[in-house]
Amino acid sequence: MAAIIGGSLLLPSHSAASTESRLIPENTVHLKEELRAAWMASVLNIDWPSKPGLPIETQKEEFIRYLDEQKAMGMNAVVMQIKPTADAFYPSEYGLWSEYLTGVQGKDPGYNPLSFMVEEAHKRNMEFHAWFNPYRITMSLGKPAELSDLGKLNKDHPARKNPEWVIPYGQQLYFDPGHPEVQQFVIDGIVEVVKQYDIDAVHMDDYFYPYKIAGVPFPDQASYQKYGMSQFSNVEDWRRNNVNNLVKDINQAIKTEKPYVKFGISPFGVWRNKSVDPTGSDTQAGQTNYDDLYADTRTWINNGYIDYIAPQLYWNIGLPVADYAKLLDWWTQEVKGKNVHLYIGQATYKINTVSNGVQNWFNPEEMPNQIKLNRTYNEFDGSMHFSGKDLRKNPLGITDRLTADLYKNPALVPPMTWIDNMAPLAPKVSQAEQHADGIKLKIESHNHTDTSYYAIYRFEGKKRGSIEDANNLIATVRNENRNQVFMDKTAEKEGTYTYAVTALDRTHNESKPSRPIHVKEK
């Protein structure tokens, strides 16, 4: 049980490698480097577009509003689902236009949503993570799925053209993860996007082999006999190997095309239960990544198949069957010393709801305490919130809390030094002048092509403080031209300030600061 001590929440450490207790700080501790993102689901029009068939301008206005809201609450990345069901939010050789755009699968929406979304995210200096679902062909068909359901798909649908790739399971159709041509098809479809669009990362979530249906085995025996039985004595190891190879090959294909594009996965929050494997987490999850979804996250982390992992820790602190605090501690040990960032999937959608029969999510401090606890670990690199529409609803004031407290200060996306560790040259701030609407800075880049954006630091008085102090970072601004202008509208008009600016590349390596410059009165 947790204990309250001195206004802070004291939690026992659950790591075998550590016996110290962890204290949730009473006051918010800000990190200078922290990925902050929201998932934007397009499947079933969960987040965007709000419904199919909207006019182009309405679709664009909806997405821009989301980005503006998220930027205002301190986010620096967006995770957008661009291939929800073997379809596409862009013209593709590997999928038809998504029905969630127009209401009709295969119908051209009249513009390229992916190009538009990437451009708008970068205007706001937010990373764009392109979210793919590799195997799902349909959502619920309302009845047990059959191969004959392929006839309901567009005649040009890749699944209809390749019925030997398809497996019905439950009420859905899936591409067979064990079919070599399916694996290559998935890889090629991702590389198409990496080649043609200026994305920052490729993202997958927890849908690999489908969640098990009680008493219904996944019907891939024919594929196992054809492709796996000669090498694997059981179907479970073969399935894990299929997923491992897919993850490894996707990463290699991305890096071959564009080494700076990151690859991350957001798996279910439990790898294995301790009752099954002593190195697993102290949880009682009904299904797990390793044993049921065949997603061996440990192998991906240990072998460098991914650049980040974002486990979906969708439980509250202290929940007996899956304690957020225990799982957070377990995942930090998994990534310790590895070339992989740990982002935590935050269950914003559960706030102000009853979950697992308990009312912990009625506590307005549940999510703030989770974020505060995250920040006590050196291995923690950021959070991803599910989802955009839930942040918009502001349950129990969480969005207000992010904006005014937890994400009050902007943050830089942490660099991945194993991808690139060469920082740009320091920029020059040639002018800092007081104007009626704020303080205007003129920034000159020494190497325009190496600089993706600038970080703006402001210090009170006539001396420059530390750029490592998160409280001194006031903004980031995209590098749009060699002589960039930034207007600081948050400074007090009568104040005395010193500014310094750093240049960052697209993998977030930060230069040394510019020479400090004082405000000049006009």
Side-chain angles (χ1 to χ4, degrees), residues 311-424:
Q312 298 172 23
L313 302 193
Y314 290 172
W315 303 279
N316 58 274
I317 295 171
L319 185 70
V321 296
D323 183 346
Y324 181 96
K326 290 182 179 181
L327 280 163
L328 174 63
D329 190 90
W330 188 89
W331 281 101
T332 62
Q333 300 304 318
E334 284 291 286
V335 303
K336 187 184 289 289
K338 306 297 195 306
N339 287 337
V340 60
H341 278 174
L342 175 64
Y343 307 142
I344 300 301
Q346 313 284 169
T348 307
Y349 74 98
K350 282 191 174 180
I351 297 173
N352 205 28
T353 69
V354 174
S355 180
N356 298 99
V358 295
Q359 300 181 358
N360 301 72
W361 291 98
F362 288 164
N363 177 6
E365 294 302 311
E366 177 63 38
M367 182 66 70
N369 280 338
Q370 291 184 7
I371 293 173
K372 289 179 179 181
L373 183 60
N374 293 346
R375 291 172 175 172
T376 68
Y377 287 90
N378 291 332
E379 293 79 16
F380 167 74
D381 295 296
S383 291
M384 293 181 171
H385 295 258
F386 191 84
S387 66
K389 70 177 177 58
D390 298 292
L391 287 165
R392 173 171 286 173
K393 292 175 183 175
N394 194 23
L396 298 182
I398 185 59
T399 303
D400 297 335
R401 187 71 175 273
L402 293 175
T403 305
D405 176 21
L406 298 162
Y407 292 171
K408 176 181 69 174
N409 298 333
L412 308 179
V413 175
M416 294 180 173
T417 54
W418 57 92
I419 293 179
D420 174 27
N421 62 0
M422 295 292 292

Side-chain angles (χ1 to χ4, degrees), residues 438-449:
I439 296 173
K440 181 179 180 181
L441 304 182
K442 289 187 177 180
I443 307 166
E444 299 177 11
S445 171
H446 283 290
N447 191 333
H448 182 67
T449 57

Side-chain angles (χ1 to χ4, degrees), residues 62-363:
E62 283 190 350
F63 190 75
I64 286 171
R65 182 185 166 203
Y66 266 121
L67 288 187
D68 286 343
E69 290 172 351
Q70 292 169 18
K71 181 71 174 179
M73 70 181 75
M75 301 296 181
N76 53 25
V78 61
V79 184
M80 182 66 217
Q81 191 174 37
I82 64 166
K83 197 175 186 70
T85 53
D87 51 6
F89 272 55
Y90 49 93
S92 175
E93 295 181 22
Y94 302 92
L96 302 175
W97 282 109
S98 176
E99 66 181 296
Y100 302 118
L101 286 166
T102 64
V104 179
Q105 190 174 73
K107 182 178 178 180
D108 190 329
Y111 76 116
N112 187 329
L114 181 53
S115 290
F116 160 75
M117 291 187 291
V118 172
E119 181 181 354
E120 291 297 326
H122 286 169
K123 280 181 186 178
R124 292 156 180 80
N125 201 41
M126 298 172 72
E127 279 198 331
F128 189 93
H129 293 225
W131 173 11
F132 296 80
N133 188 290
Y135 301 131
R136 183 171 59 204
I137 297 171
T138 63
M139 295 300 289
S140 174
L141 295 167
K143 66 173 187 63
E146 301 173 350
L147 272 179
S148 60
D149 292 316
L150 286 172
K152 300 175 183 178
L153 301 176
N154 185 296
K155 63 180 177 59
D156 294 322
H157 195 291
R160 191 166 171 180
K161 289 183 174 181
N162 300 278
E164 70 279 9
W165 294 0
V166 180
I167 289 182
Y169 187 62
Q171 296 185 359
Q172 296 176 253
L173 298 176
Y174 297 89
F175 285 124
D176 180 358
H179 199 299
E181 291 182 7
V182 166
Q183 294 177 23
Q184 191 60 51
F185 176 80
V186 171
I187 294 166
D188 291 344
I190 290 173
V191 170
E192 175 188 52
V193 172
V194 173
K195 280 183 177 181
Q196 296 181 21
Y197 299 90
D198 190 25
I199 64 171
D200 299 285
V202 168
H203 179 92
M204 289 182 173
D205 58 349
D206 55 322
Y207 290 103
F208 289 93
Y209 278 83
Y211 283 84
K212 288 182 176 177
I213 301 169
V216 184
F218 188 70
D220 60 351
Q221 283 300 315
S223 295
Y224 173 54
Q225 291 176 9
K226 186 173 183 179
Y227 301 114
M229 189 172 284
S230 62
Q231 293 179 278
F232 296 90
S233 61
N234 63 76
V235 71
E236 288 82 8
D237 285 343
W238 172 69
R239 288 171 179 165
R240 277 185 285 271
N241 187 67
N242 291 332
V243 177
N244 287 345
N245 284 339
L246 179 73
V247 171
K248 177 181 67 175
D249 292 346
I250 287 172
N251 189 47
Q252 289 177 347
I254 292 168
K255 297 302 188 289
T256 297
E257 189 62 38
K258 291 180 181 177
Y260 56 82
V261 173
K262 300 178 278 193
F263 179 38
I265 295 177
S266 176
F268 179 70
V270 177
W271 174 69
R272 300 191 88 185
N273 292 316
K274 194 173 184 178
S275 59
V276 175
D277 186 326
T279 68
S281 54
D282 185 11
T283 49
Q284 301 166 47
Q287 298 198 42
T288 65
N289 283 308
Y290 185 92
D291 297 295
D292 299 289
L293 306 181
Y294 308 103
D296 186 2
T297 57
R298 178 172 287 175
T299 292
W300 308 344
I301 292 169
N302 290 345
N303 289 283
Y305 294 171
I306 52 177
D307 297 306
Y308 70 77
I309 195 155
Q312 298 172 23
L313 302 193
Y314 290 172
W315 303 279
N316 58 274
I317 295 171
L319 185 70
V321 296
D323 183 346
Y324 181 96
K326 290 182 179 181
L327 280 163
L328 174 63
D329 190 90
W330 188 89
W331 281 101
T332 62
Q333 300 304 318
E334 284 291 286
V335 303
K336 187 184 289 289
K338 306 297 195 306
N339 287 337
V340 60
H341 278 174
L342 175 64
Y343 307 142
I344 300 301
Q346 313 284 169
T348 307
Y349 74 98
K350 282 191 174 180
I351 297 173
N352 205 28
T353 69
V354 174
S355 180
N356 298 99
V358 295
Q359 300 181 358
N360 301 72
W361 291 98
F362 288 164
N363 177 6

